[in-house]
Amino acid sequence: MELEGIPVAEYQLLAARFNPKPNAARAWAKLAKTAGMKYIVMTTKHHEGFCLFDTKTTNYSAPQQTAGRDLVAEFIAAARAEGLGVGVYYSLMDWHHPDGALCKTDEAARRRFVDYIHEQVRELCTNYGKIDVLWYDVNWPLTAAEWEAQKLNKMVRGLQPDILVNNRSGIPEDFQTPEQHVQASDSPWEACMTMNDSWGYQRSDDDWKSAKTLVRNLLNCARDQGNYLLNIGPKPDGSIPEQSIRILTPVGKWMDKHGDLIHRAELCQG
């Protein structure tokens, strides 16, 4: 939406065409398990504002559009079936909400927008059982105080006492999030990186990292006592790009032989 400069009114028409195959997340979870991953995080709402979860705040969501299903519920069920930890990514920024662009300069708009965002986070932390990770993204254009981030995260921890929360609501919380590079920190951290150059599915992006590069990144994270969050952008029907499977399969074979190196490093962190 941003890269191609697509207006909101035009972009939102795509919701009527978005209908991934049922339970596509089962293949995601199986591949994650095969590759040696211990937890997976799903983008529940990105910057364009479309919700993949059931929400009472808007009809701009998968359950209320053509898909007719709660895709977050499908994801969580698939992850749990494979014994994986469950994380939810949630973008605070929202290009679709009319107050998203006004909230910085209009107090009434800020109040409406912050209430809207807080309620969606509450739904995510209430409707799906135990959530292991809350992965905020992009707190632009508001400050942590304007987002009322302390209040928001207090609510989150009240609903999910064991949850880990990242630093992108504007306050430190549980872990740091270096993006597209490995950078150690004195506090807990997790490097988030893509397999090619794109976070979402991009057919023309063929700049894929090799399995050897992914293993080296993983080793560097473990060496410096961090975690490695590796992104896959599913195709429009929810299936995994063939290149992702081709690259992650040998990573999984390496983990079968040497995974204790990684997991022992995690245990040493405390």
Side-chain angles (χ1 to χ4, degrees), residues 179-207:
E179 184 166 327
Q180 295 290 39
H181 65 282
V182 175
Q183 181 178 341
S185 172
D186 291 336
S187 57
W189 61 278
E190 172 196 74
C192 56
M193 301 175 72
T194 51
M195 292 190 66
N196 48 10
D197 293 329
S198 306
W199 290 104
Y201 175 69
Q202 178 59 262
R203 184 170 54 187
S204 62
D205 183 356
D206 60 359
D207 190 19

Side-chain angles (χ1 to χ4, degrees), residues 165-233:
V165 180
N166 76 348
N167 62 327
R168 296 197 181 189
S169 64
I171 49 182
E173 294 299 342
D174 295 311
F175 63 97
Q176 308 298 308
T177 54
E179 184 166 327
Q180 295 290 39
H181 65 282
V182 175
Q183 181 178 341
S185 172
D186 291 336
S187 57
W189 61 278
E190 172 196 74
C192 56
M193 301 175 72
T194 51
M195 292 190 66
N196 48 10
D197 293 329
S198 306
W199 290 104
Y201 175 69
Q202 178 59 262
R203 184 170 54 187
S204 62
D205 183 356
D206 60 359
D207 190 19
W208 295 93
K209 297 177 180 66
S210 67
K212 182 180 290 187
T213 295
L214 297 186
V215 168
R216 285 175 175 169
N217 288 342
L218 179 60
L219 285 168
N220 287 338
C221 288
R223 177 199 63 199
D224 293 334
Q225 299 188 337
N227 283 356
Y228 189 30
L229 187 66
L230 183 64
N231 182 77
I232 293 176

Side-chain angles (χ1 to χ4, degrees), residues 45 47 91-118 138-148:
K45 177 179 79 75
H47 314 330
S91 173
L92 294 166
M93 179 168 63
D94 192 316
W95 297 326
H96 184 264
H97 194 287
D99 292 322
L102 300 174
C103 60
K104 186 64 177 178
T105 56
D106 183 322
E107 174 55 25
R110 187 197 71 84
R111 180 72 271 154
R112 290 190 299 266
F113 189 52
V114 168
D115 288 346
Y116 175 82
I117 296 298
H118 281 221
V138 186
N139 63 348
W140 183 90
L142 302 178
T143 66
E146 290 168 332
W147 280 115
E148 302 175 21

Side-chain angles (χ1 to χ4, degrees), residues 8-217:
V8 171
E10 179 182 342
Y11 188 87
Q12 67 184 10
L13 298 177
L14 294 172
R17 295 167 48 190
F18 178 62
N19 189 20
K21 59 184 180 181
N23 295 305
R26 292 178 181 174
W28 309 350
K30 289 182 182 299
L31 179 61
K33 185 70 172 293
T34 299
M37 300 178 187
K38 293 295 186 180
Y39 63 101
I40 50 179
V41 179
M42 182 190 193
T43 300
T44 66
K45 177 179 79 75
H46 204 250
H47 314 330
E48 90 296 336
F50 187 72
C51 300
L52 300 188
F53 56 97
D54 192 15
T55 176
K56 296 179 180 178
T57 62
T58 179
N59 64 2
Y60 195 52
S61 68
Q64 297 185 61
Q65 296 290 331
T66 299
R69 314 190 318 274
D70 187 329
L71 303 182
V72 172
E74 291 184 4
F75 157 76
I76 289 176
R80 289 178 177 150
E82 296 297 330
L84 298 168
V86 171
V88 292
Y89 165 110
Y90 180 84
S91 173
L92 294 166
M93 179 168 63
D94 192 316
W95 297 326
H96 184 264
H97 194 287
D99 292 322
L102 300 174
C103 60
K104 186 64 177 178
T105 56
D106 183 322
E107 174 55 25
R110 187 197 71 84
R111 180 72 271 154
R112 290 190 299 266
F113 189 52
V114 168
D115 288 346
Y116 175 82
I117 296 298
H118 281 221
E119 178 58 21
Q120 288 194 344
V121 173
R122 187 196 66 78
E123 290 172 331
L124 285 170
C125 291
T126 301
N127 297 339
Y128 301 99
K130 187 177 185 293
I131 303 296
D132 299 295
V133 178
L134 174 57
W135 219 102
Y136 292 120
D137 201 11
V138 186
N139 63 348
W140 183 90
L142 302 178
T143 66
E146 290 168 332
W147 280 115
E148 302 175 21
Q150 294 281 3
K151 175 183 176 182
L152 175 62
N153 291 337
K154 182 178 180 180
M155 174 191 71
V156 167
R157 295 188 187 282
L159 295 169
Q160 296 283 345
D162 299 321
I163 200 167
L164 295 175
V165 180
N166 76 348
N167 62 327
R168 296 197 181 189
S169 64
I171 49 182
E173 294 299 342
D174 295 311
F175 63 97
Q176 308 298 308
T177 54
E179 184 166 327
Q180 295 290 39
H181 65 282
V182 175
Q183 181 178 341
S185 172
D186 291 336
S187 57
W189 61 278
E190 172 196 74
C192 56
M193 301 175 72
T194 51
M195 292 190 66
N196 48 10
D197 293 329
S198 306
W199 290 104
Y201 175 69
Q202 178 59 262
R203 184 170 54 187
S204 62
D205 183 356
D206 60 359
D207 190 19
W208 295 93
K209 297 177 180 66
S210 67
K212 182 180 290 187
T213 295
L214 297 186
V215 168
R216 285 175 175 169
N217 288 342

